[in-house]
Amino acid sequence: MSTHKNSNRAITLPLYITITLCVGVFIGANMVGASSSPSSNFMQSLTKFRQVLTHIENDYVDEVDSDELVESAITNMLEELDPHTAYIPAKDLELIQSKLQGNYEGIGIEFNIFKDTIHVVSPLSGGPSEKLGIRAGDQIVKVDGDIVAGIGMTNQKVVELLRGPGGSEVTVSIKRDGEDELIDFTIERDVIPQYSVDVSYMVNDEIGYIKVARFANSTYLEFKDALLRLKDQGMKKLVIDLTGNPGGYLNRAVQIADEVLSGKQMIVYTDGKEKRYSEQHYSGEKGDFEEGSLVIMVDEGSASASEIVAGAVQDHDRGLIVGRRSFGKGLVQKMIDLTDGSELRLTISRYYTPSGRSIQKTYEGGNLDEYYMEAYERYENGELYSSDSIKFNDSLAFKTDKGRIVYGGGGITPDFFVPLDTAYSSRYLNRLFSTNSVQEYTVKYAQENRVELVEMGFDNYESKFEVTDQMLEELIEVAEGNQLKFNEREFKRSKKLLKQLTKAYIARGIWDNDGFYPIFNQQDEIFLKAIKLMDEADKIAKR
C-alpha cells in the first residue's frame, strides 16, 4: 500500500466548513514538498485561518478547545483529498505503528472479553506472561489492585492498562479454574514480537502453504524463513494466502514478489506529481521459489501491498490468482511526522502493475462512506457469488507477458473465481461468533481438556477428534447465557460447518495458529480451489 504504512479510515466526522477550506495549506507548510515561495492565495488562506481561529478563541460565547478544533479541521480537510490520506493524532499513533513495525512493549497475551471479564486466549510465545506461567483460560480480575472485571472494560482500555515501556512492571490478579484464591503475577513488560506470517505448513508431500496477514516491517524475513523451512520439508508447489491482508509496506511486497520472480522483471512502478515519488521496482535478487507451481489466494479484503504481489505474479504469468476481486487500492502514502508527535499520511503517488494497470477503484474526495461501502455493493450486485456480475471497462484492458487479457480500474480480478460459499452459513452462526460464544466455549474447553489434548497430539486430533452433539449443546447454553436465542432451523443448516469451526478454535487454544489453520482451511473454498488448481498452475510454471 504505502511506501511506509498502510492507512484505513472509515469514520466521517462533522465538517467544519470554514476551517476546512482555509487550513489546507497550513499543513502543507510543514510537509516535504511544500513550496518555498508560497503564492498570494496560500498566504491569504493561511491568514484567514489564523483570523478565524483567533476570533473563536477570543470572542466565541463559550469556552472552546482550540486544539480540538484544529484536529477536526485537519481531519475533515484531508477527507476532501482521497480515502487514504489521513491524520493520526499522537495519542493513537503508537498502537497503529506497532502493527506495522512488528513489535510492541507489553505483557504478551492475546485476550478476549467474555461476560465483562478479561480472558487470556493465549500467552504469546516467548513473552513475559508465558515465562511466568500465565495460561490460556486465565481470567484477569485486577490490574495493579484495581478491579477490571464487571465494570464494562473495552479492548482499548485493556490495551492501555497492559501495554507500557519495557522494564516497567504491572501486577495482574488472575482467577484460575481449580484455584480458590486469586493468583498475583508481577510482570515486567518487554518487547513483544508481532508476527505477520500467521502460519506455514505442508498441506501434503508437495504443497506448502503460507498465510501472510499483513506487510509489516518483519514480514519479509518471516516469509523467507517459512519458505526455506517448507523447502526443507520437500515443498515443490506453493500457496500464498493473502485473503484479508490489508497491505502495509510497499518494499516488503517487492521483496516477497522477488522471491518468486526470476531474472529482472518489473514488480511495480509508482507515478507521482513530484519526480522523486515516481519509482520503478524490479526483481533481481536470486529468489528461493523462482520455479515450481504457485497460487496466490485473494479476496475482497486483500488490498494495497497484497495487490502488488498478486498483480506482479499475474502480469508475468508466474502463477494463478484464485479467489475474488481484491479491494482496489493503488495509492501510495508517505508518513510525515508533525511537531506535536502526530503523523500525516499523505498520498504522494499511484502505483501500477507491470502491465500498466492502476487497480485503484474510483472515489470522490470527501465521500468516505461511499468508498468503503463499495465492498457491500459487490455483495448487493451479486459479484461475490458470480463472476458474471463483475463489470469490466474495456478501455482499461491490458495484456500479461503471454497475452492474457487483464483489467485495471478496481482491484485484481482472479484467474479463477471462487464464489462466497453460503451453503452452510446462517445468521445464527454469525451471531454465535459476534457474541463471542464460540470463542468463550472453545477457550474454556481447551483449558479444561488441555492435558488430554496435548497427550493426543495434533496429528491424532486432526484425524480423529470429533465435536459431538453434546459439545454443541454446551455451546448453545453458552450462547443463551450471552442473550442469543436458539434458532433450530438455522442451527441445523450450519451444524456441519459449526462443528468444523469449533474444532479449529479448540485446536487454536492448544496449538495456536499451527493447529487452527490446517483445520479451518478444510472448509475454506478458496483454499480448496487453490489446491485443486495446482496442476493448472504447474502448466504456467513450465511454459
Side-chain angles (χ1 to χ4, degrees):
M1 155 199 166
S2 158
T3 305
H4 300 277
K5 281 198 178 178
N6 190 47
S7 170
N8 255 337
R9 295 185 305 109
I11 302 175
T12 303
L13 299 174
L15 183 61
Y16 291 80
I17 298 176
T18 305
I19 300 176
T20 299
L21 291 174
C22 303
V23 73
V25 203
F26 173 74
I27 300 301
N30 293 305
M31 69 178 69
V32 177
S35 172
S36 59
S37 300
S39 66
S40 60
N41 287 339
F42 174 93
M43 295 307 297
Q44 289 172 6
S45 296
L46 183 57
T47 299
K48 186 189 298 184
F49 174 72
R50 286 174 173 167
Q51 287 176 339
V52 170
L53 193 59
T54 299
H55 282 298
I56 292 173
E57 178 71 20
N58 294 335
D59 303 326
Y60 185 67
V61 62
D62 296 321
E63 290 295 323
V64 296
D65 186 333
S66 297
D67 289 340
E68 187 174 315
L69 285 179
V70 171
E71 298 262 318
S72 296
I74 292 171
T75 299
N76 286 285
M77 171 192 64
L78 297 181
E79 288 178 355
E80 295 298 313
L81 301 180
D82 69 79
H84 299 285
T85 289
Y87 168 72
I88 312 297
K91 63 182 178 65
D92 299 330
L93 191 57
E94 180 183 356
L95 181 60
I96 294 172
Q97 284 179 332
S98 70
K99 293 181 180 179
L100 284 176
Q101 290 174 349
N103 58 66
Y104 67 93
E105 293 178 326
I107 70 169
I109 63 166
E110 181 180 347
F111 69 90
N112 209 330
I113 299 175
F114 307 136
K115 293 184 173 66
D116 210 9
T117 302
I118 306 165
H119 288 246
V120 177
V121 174
S122 176
L124 300 181
S125 179
S129 292
E130 182 194 52
K131 292 175 182 177
L132 287 176
I134 291 177
R135 305 174 185 172
D138 284 348
Q139 301 170 39
I140 299 177
V141 178
K142 295 180 181 179
V143 175
D144 285 334
D146 294 329
I147 295 288
V148 294
I151 62 170
M153 291 293 291
T154 64
N155 288 334
Q156 181 62 35
K157 184 62 177 176
V158 175
V159 169
E160 292 172 1
L161 287 173
L162 299 183
R163 285 193 180 181
S168 64
E169 291 185 345
V170 61
T171 299
V172 299
S173 301
I174 295 244
K175 182 180 185 301
R176 176 175 292 169
D177 282 355
E179 300 286 344
D180 295 330
E181 303 291 333
L182 295 179
I183 308 171
D184 289 338
F185 291 89
T186 297
I187 309 168
E188 182 177 323
R189 297 182 179 97
D190 201 352
V191 174
I192 310 299
Q194 286 188 301
Y195 298 103
S196 51
V197 172
D198 280 345
V199 71
S200 62
Y201 67 93
M202 291 296 293
V203 179
N204 56 34
D205 291 341
E206 291 188 321
I207 301 174
Y209 168 89
I210 302 177
K211 169 71 174 176
V212 184
R214 60 188 175 277
F215 288 84
N217 190 47
S218 61
T219 301
Y220 171 65
L221 294 179
E222 293 178 47
F223 180 84
K224 181 95 167 175
D225 179 65
L227 197 60
L228 292 175
R229 282 190 287 104
L230 292 178
K231 287 184 69 176
D232 286 344
Q233 296 175 55
M235 180 183 70
K236 296 180 177 59
K237 305 174 182 182
L238 174 62
V239 176
I240 302 176
D241 186 351
L242 300 180
T243 56
N245 184 322
Y249 293 131
L250 181 148
N251 60 349
R252 298 298 179 252
V254 169
Q255 289 176 304
I256 288 179
D258 197 2
E259 287 295 323
V260 300
L261 294 175
S262 60
K264 185 176 181 180
Q265 299 187 81
M266 179 177 286
I267 295 172
V268 65
Y269 68 92
T270 61
D271 184 27
K273 180 172 64 177
E274 291 274 345
K275 287 186 178 180
R276 57 185 164 151
Y277 299 137
S278 299
E279 301 175 331
Q280 296 180 343
H281 300 270
Y282 290 87
S283 61
E285 298 294 327
K286 177 64 177 175
D288 284 308
F289 199 76
E290 293 183 353
E291 298 179 357
S293 306
L294 176 65
V295 175
I296 308 288
M297 294 169 54
V298 298
D299 66 5
E300 54 280 356
S302 308
S304 185
S306 297
E307 295 170 304
I308 290 174
V309 175
V313 167
Q314 189 176 55
D315 282 1
H316 292 305
D317 298 289
R318 169 63 184 90
L320 293 177
I321 312 301
V322 177
R324 293 183 291 277
R325 182 163 65 98
S326 62
F327 181 85
K329 182 187 178 299
L331 300 175
V332 183
Q333 283 71 51
K334 176 181 178 64
M335 297 186 306
I336 301 169
D337 295 329
L338 303 180
T339 54
D340 67 343
S342 58
E343 181 179 278
L344 171 65
R345 296 184 179 184
L346 184 68
T347 296
I348 55 171
S349 60
R350 290 179 170 84
Y351 77 71
Y352 297 81
T353 70
S355 67
R357 289 184 284 168
S358 169
I359 49 92
Q360 173 63 44
K361 62 184 180 182
T362 58
Y363 62 88
E364 293 181 12
N367 199 340
L368 295 183
D369 286 342
E370 182 176 311
Y371 181 76
Y372 285 103
M373 283 297 289
E374 188 266 349
Y376 181 73
E377 291 174 8
R378 297 187 194 186
Y379 171 83
E380 287 284 285
N381 67 27
E383 180 184 324
L384 300 185
Y385 306 103
S386 171
S387 58
D388 294 336
S389 298
I390 302 175
K391 297 179 176 61
F392 297 109
N393 186 338
D394 290 338
S395 67
L396 298 176
F398 297 82
K399 290 185 177 181
T400 68
D401 290 354
K402 295 174 181 176
R404 294 186 301 130
I405 300 296
V406 290
Y407 291 90
I412 300 294
T413 300
D415 300 307
F416 287 87
F417 175 80
V418 180
L420 189 66
D421 183 21
T422 59
Y424 297 104
S425 65
S426 67
R427 186 176 183 275
Y428 181 71
L429 178 65
N430 293 337
R431 291 283 290 147
L432 283 171
F433 282 92
S434 65
T435 59
N436 266 344
S437 299
V438 172
Q439 298 91 319
E440 180 179 346
Y441 173 74
T442 54
V443 165
K444 187 172 187 294
Y445 186 93
Q447 181 190 30
E448 293 176 347
N449 297 275
R450 176 172 296 275
V451 173
E452 296 90 335
L453 293 172
V454 170
E455 288 180 353
M456 179 185 296
F458 177 72
D459 289 342
N460 283 331
Y461 177 88
E462 182 182 22
S463 61
K464 298 178 181 179
F465 183 87
E466 291 187 9
V467 174
T468 65
D469 289 346
Q470 174 62 35
M471 291 171 65
L472 291 187
E473 288 178 11
E474 294 169 0
L475 171 54
I476 291 168
E477 289 180 8
V478 169
E480 289 176 341
N482 291 329
Q483 310 305 310
L484 176 59
K485 186 178 179 180
F486 179 63
N487 185 312
E488 184 174 6
R489 181 179 61 83
E490 293 185 358
F491 169 77
K492 288 181 177 179
R493 174 180 176 179
S494 301
K495 184 176 179 179
K496 180 179 179 181
L497 178 56
L498 179 58
K499 283 191 172 186
Q500 185 75 20
L501 294 174
T502 301
K503 180 176 178 177
Y505 276 88
I506 292 172
R508 187 171 184 261
I510 304 296
W511 298 282
D512 203 16
N513 284 339
D514 289 335
F516 176 78
Y517 278 102
I519 296 174
F520 178 84
N521 281 340
Q522 292 171 20
Q523 56 80 42
D524 187 310
E525 293 296 325
I526 299 178
F527 172 82
L528 297 174
K529 187 70 171 180
I531 300 304
K532 290 180 181 178
L533 287 170
M534 271 300 170
D535 288 342
E536 188 70 25
D538 194 47
K539 295 176 183 176
I540 291 179
K542 291 179 178 178
R543 285 175 186 170

